[in-house]
Amino acid sequence: MSLDSIDRVAVLGAGNMGHGITEVTAMAGYDVTMRDIKDEFIEDGYESIKWSVEKLEEKEMLEDSAEEVLGRIDTTTDLEEAVADADLVIEAAPEDLDLKHDIFTDLEEYTSGDTLLATNTSSLPISDIAEAVDSSERVLGLHFFNPPVKMDLVEVIYGEDTSDEAAEAGYEWVESIDKTPIYVRKDVRGFVVNTIVGPFGGEPAFMVSNDEATIREADATMVHERGYPMGPFELGDLTGIDVGYHVRKEGDSPIPPITEEKVEAGDLGQKTGKGFYDYEDGDGADYEPEDAGDFDWLRVEARMINRAAFLVGEDVATPEEVDTGVQLGLGFPEGICRRADKIGLDTVLEKLETLYEETGEDRFEPHPYLEQLVAEGKTGEEAGAGFYSYDDDSLGPYHDLNYALEDGVLSVELDRPSRMNALSDDLLAEIDDLFSNVDTDEVRCATIEGAGDQAFCAGADVSGFSDADPTDLMDVTPAFETVNDFERPVLAKIDGFCLGGGLELALACDLRVATERSSFGAPEINLGLIPGGGGTQRLTRVLGETRAKELVFRGNHIDADRAEEWGLINRSVEREDFDDTVSEFVDDLAGGPPIALKIAKKVMNEGEDASIAAAVAMESQGFGLLSSTEDVLEGTAAFAEDREPEFEGK
């Protein structure tokens, strides 16, 4: 059982999750059969897929045509027919254990022993579902997030009997459909993401129920001061208050009184027009920054961190997996383990101990792993270790940045796809650290790109700077200057949005290649701001005053073709030609003479701010220095011998 053996997939269910999983499977090149119990369910699901892939094609977000993707999808109401030739079956039926038992009982009869059997359940234990199958070692969870086409995360969950072989095959398959998998190594209720989000919604509800806070105070604080994409009550209204209620009830967890009251009254959130906020006669989630007050955010985050300690301490998931889960699955501005290390695990432990002593409530009891870390002095960043280790003598660990150094090419990826790779304070610090400390002797050139398929970088993540002093933000961010001053050529690989701080990062690079679907802009003026990372100055130097002022003053976007016409980027190319074009640039840069490229960059950058006489003098000095290098001798000899030079940087 391996990825190599998976050619055909069957998805059981044509609802929101079923047709979404079918769509991403077909988009990845797999033949897939979507099955449901009624023709009308199938028809609705297929029409949803058709509409979606056609929209993606219009936005140039498909590698293949919509027709080709749809051609890989078969539909049926016959279960045996659907799974007969399938190598992987993904069940996406309603959350009813008896129903799932019936399905898996049939699957054991209709599939071979080598077929991988997965469930997309979000609330039922994998082990309970696998009870219906004698060969339970081939049953695992593949928990997609809604909507599957947009959400990057998939939890790969072990049941009690799931084999490593089955889990690894599932993990590799998830990677093959261009999603990000995380292992959930034990079958705990809530898996990873819902284990963390439980206290995010639950603890504020207890606080409001006990008259210790208001709904608006909680939401305003968690969004405007702590940087979460939604407040806990706003999120509850969006997902349905009854959903969280039933999860808690099934898990025999205490239910906040305000949650119970809303469910009993039928006020379930946006779907009923009223929940924690009024969406019919009121303005919905209308909280403002000034509503924050003195809400005790540490109480909420301490509980979330305690649940993270449970996941890590019980070997359910690693800190990296937990943080990837909450960032991609919930859109959190940073991982909860990473945030814990910043706050200080001793501070978190003290908060939990105080609350446990005052209330006697089990939900505040510190997990032994958290106590162990603090006892060992691993209290976070300042101590050099916490959930993570912090070694000043090595690069990283980076949480929002991926990099690789191979054959002289430093490939850098901004890794915040759930936030369209927006620049947080942490991400900027990681960019600065990498480009400041990487061994330039090993680097011939560097590239920067964004993860996901939406953006190079959509700007600054304002929520990530919620605790910053305004005077601190007045200084030009070091990351942009570090990239600008890096000794080797840097190429920005732009596919999608390149806006605000993202545009400033691209401008700090030496070269810029973009897909035709990309768009560029400096929208800060629409927020009452101006570019703050050198954008006003670099835009003027690159575009000239007239076009730079148009971009900054109007705050509009321009497309890639206009950006090329204006000289903002070096090339605008069709998406299918993007990789080849980038490779041509990289080959020239990586194969070029390192010393000459270093001096050329330095002279050109510094010459911008010098008089023409001073700039020409710098150029002459550079020319003189290079004339005695071995690279010049090699270049001259190669020219005479009509061969490609092999520069060694000497």
Side-chain angles (χ1 to χ4, degrees):
M1 197 179 299
S2 68
L3 172 64
D4 293 338
S5 65
I6 298 176
D7 293 318
R8 186 169 191 89
V9 180
V11 178
L12 309 183
N16 286 338
M17 294 306 297
H19 74 66
I21 296 170
T22 299
E23 181 177 349
V24 298
T25 301
M27 284 168 54
Y30 288 93
D31 292 326
V32 54
T33 300
M34 181 173 67
R35 182 260 180 186
D36 214 315
I37 58 174
K38 293 184 178 180
D39 286 330
E40 56 261 41
F41 296 164
I42 291 287
E43 291 167 6
D44 288 345
Y46 187 83
E47 284 303 310
S48 295
I49 295 172
K50 184 173 183 293
W51 177 87
S52 176
V53 296
E54 288 175 350
K55 286 294 182 184
L56 291 171
E57 184 176 43
E58 287 177 16
K59 296 177 181 179
E60 298 183 15
M61 296 177 69
L62 283 182
E63 291 189 7
D64 301 320
S65 69
E67 183 179 0
E68 287 175 304
V69 172
L70 293 171
R72 299 183 186 119
I73 300 172
D74 293 327
T75 62
T76 183
T77 57
D78 187 307
L79 178 60
E80 184 174 4
E81 177 187 336
V83 304
D85 298 322
D87 306 301
L88 167 64
V89 178
I90 305 174
E91 169 270 312
E95 297 286 71
D96 180 294
L97 184 59
D98 290 337
L99 172 61
K100 291 182 187 290
H101 275 174
D102 289 343
I103 292 171
F104 274 79
T105 298
D106 289 338
L107 288 179
E108 184 152 54
E109 179 182 350
Y110 297 149
T111 63
S112 75
D114 292 330
T115 304
L116 198 61
L117 305 181
T119 173
N120 181 56
T121 183
S122 61
S123 62
L124 298 173
I126 309 302
S127 304
D128 289 357
I129 296 171
E131 288 176 351
V133 180
D134 290 337
S135 52
S136 54
E137 69 279 356
R138 62 183 173 126
V139 178
L140 74 157
L142 291 179
H143 179 214
F144 287 76
F145 287 73
N146 196 24
V149 175
K150 291 184 177 180
M151 298 296 283
D152 192 44
L153 183 72
V154 180
E155 293 178 310
V156 179
I157 309 142
Y158 278 78
E160 288 181 6
D161 299 330
T162 305
S163 68
D164 287 337
E165 185 182 21
E168 288 166 6
Y171 189 99
E172 291 172 1
W173 179 79
V174 171
E175 289 185 315
S176 78
I177 63 169
D178 203 25
K179 297 295 179 183
T180 301
I182 60 170
Y183 279 122
V184 184
R185 292 173 178 79
K186 292 184 180 178
D187 193 7
V188 299
R189 186 173 291 275
F191 311 139
V192 166
V193 173
N194 288 333
T195 293
I196 301 298
V197 81
F200 178 77
E203 197 54 39
F206 278 115
M207 296 165 75
V208 170
S209 298
N210 296 334
D211 295 324
E212 297 170 287
T214 68
I215 289 172
R216 283 178 174 78
E217 283 175 345
D219 280 0
T221 298
M222 299 310 282
V223 170
H224 296 297
E225 294 187 2
R226 301 304 294 163
Y228 294 94
M230 273 189 194
F233 293 100
E234 181 185 12
L235 179 61
D237 278 353
L238 177 67
T239 58
I241 299 172
D242 54 325
V243 174
Y245 171 85
H246 289 301
V247 168
R248 290 178 179 278
K249 196 163 188 178
E250 289 169 5
D252 199 26
S253 300
I255 299 172
I258 189 174
T259 302
E260 197 154 23
E261 290 167 11
K262 294 295 181 183
V263 172
E264 289 176 355
D267 296 333
L268 307 180
Q270 291 187 20
K271 62 186 176 184
T272 61
K274 186 181 291 185
F276 295 119
Y277 294 93
D278 190 338
Y279 300 88
E280 289 181 340
D281 303 320
D283 296 324
D286 56 352
Y287 57 89
E288 302 289 345
E290 56 267 24
D291 292 328
D294 296 321
F295 181 76
D296 188 359
W297 58 264
L298 181 57
R299 175 170 164 177
V300 180
E301 290 190 357
R303 281 206 57 214
M304 295 162 66
I305 292 163
N306 201 37
R307 297 304 290 158
F310 157 74
L311 292 171
V312 177
E314 301 296 328
D315 295 324
V316 178
T318 64
E320 291 84 359
E321 288 164 337
V322 172
D323 284 356
T324 297
V326 298
Q327 287 183 280
L328 296 184
L330 299 170
F332 280 10
E334 63 184 338
I336 193 64
C337 295
R338 173 77 162 167
R339 177 160 287 193
D341 282 353
K342 285 183 177 178
I343 295 171
L345 301 188
D346 50 342
T347 300
V348 172
L349 179 60
E350 182 181 0
K351 183 69 173 179
L352 291 168
E353 289 174 336
T354 299
L355 290 166
Y356 188 45
E357 183 178 343
E358 289 176 351
T359 68
E361 297 288 347
D362 290 343
R363 68 181 187 273
F364 296 121
E365 183 176 5
H367 189 271
Y369 183 67
L370 179 62
E371 294 176 319
Q372 175 187 329
L373 288 174
V374 174
E376 293 174 353
K378 297 177 180 178
T379 56
E381 282 188 4
E382 290 189 5
F387 279 106
Y388 296 98
S389 295
Y390 301 88
D391 184 353
D392 292 336
D393 296 328
S394 63
L395 293 173
Y398 299 129
H399 302 275
D400 297 323
L401 192 71
N402 302 318
Y403 78 93
L405 180 54
E406 186 174 351
D407 296 329
V409 180
L410 176 64
S411 302
V412 181
E413 181 184 59
L414 314 180
D415 190 16
R416 303 186 77 217
S418 65
R419 311 282 279 197
M420 297 180 73
N421 302 314
L423 297 170
S424 65
D425 192 30
D426 283 342
L427 177 52
L428 285 166
E430 291 176 358
I431 294 170
D432 183 45
D433 183 78
L434 174 61
F435 279 90
S436 296
N437 295 302
V438 69
D439 185 357
T440 53
D441 289 340
E442 301 295 323
V443 179
R444 291 292 188 96
C445 69
T447 65
I448 302 178
E449 63 186 311
D453 59 4
Q454 292 184 288
F456 170 75
C457 173
D461 187 347
V462 178
S463 64
F465 300 93
S466 55
D467 293 333
D469 188 314
T471 57
D472 294 337
L473 299 179
M474 289 174 64
D475 295 328
V476 174
T477 307
F480 301 118
E481 297 305 305
T482 303
V483 172
N484 183 77
D485 296 339
F486 190 61
E487 291 185 355
R488 303 293 185 242
V490 183
L491 170 70
K493 298 169 55 177
I494 302 165
D495 182 25
F497 293 111
C498 182
L499 308 173
L503 176 59
E504 292 177 298
L505 178 60
L507 286 166
C509 298
D510 303 294
L511 302 166
R512 291 165 287 279
V513 175
T515 58
E516 287 184 337
R517 75 184 188 110
S518 301
S519 61
F520 303 80
E524 290 90 344
I525 203 74
N526 297 319
L527 301 174
L529 296 169
I530 65 171
T536 58
Q537 303 309 303
R538 289 198 178 96
L539 276 172
T540 302
R541 285 164 170 75
V542 170
L543 300 181
E545 180 182 351
T546 303
R547 285 172 171 166
K549 285 183 175 177
E550 177 180 345
L551 211 57
V552 172
F553 289 2
R554 299 184 69 190
N556 294 338
H557 297 187
I558 61 172
D559 61 27
D561 287 341
R562 176 168 291 186
E564 182 181 24
E565 177 189 337
W566 283 12
L568 182 60
I569 62 176
N570 298 82
R571 298 286 189 279
S572 169
V573 299
E574 294 184 6
R575 208 167 182 219
E576 55 264 34
D577 298 327
F578 182 57
D579 289 339
D580 288 342
T581 304
V582 167
S583 293
E584 291 173 5
F585 273 72
V586 170
D587 288 346
D588 288 340
L589 297 174
I595 302 175
L597 286 169
K598 173 184 174 180
I599 290 180
K601 178 171 180 175
K602 183 178 179 66
V603 168
M604 295 174 79
N605 282 357
E606 294 183 1
E608 288 179 341
D609 299 318
S611 67
I612 185 65
V616 169
M618 282 191 285
E619 179 184 284
S620 297
Q621 290 172 355
F623 184 88
L625 288 171
L626 290 168
S627 63
S628 61
T629 63
E630 292 182 18
D631 278 351
V632 168
L633 297 176
E634 166 62 13
T636 304
F639 178 78
E641 297 166 11
D642 194 23
R643 61 174 173 81
E644 289 295 321
E646 296 181 4
F647 297 114
E648 296 184 5
K650 298 179 181 179

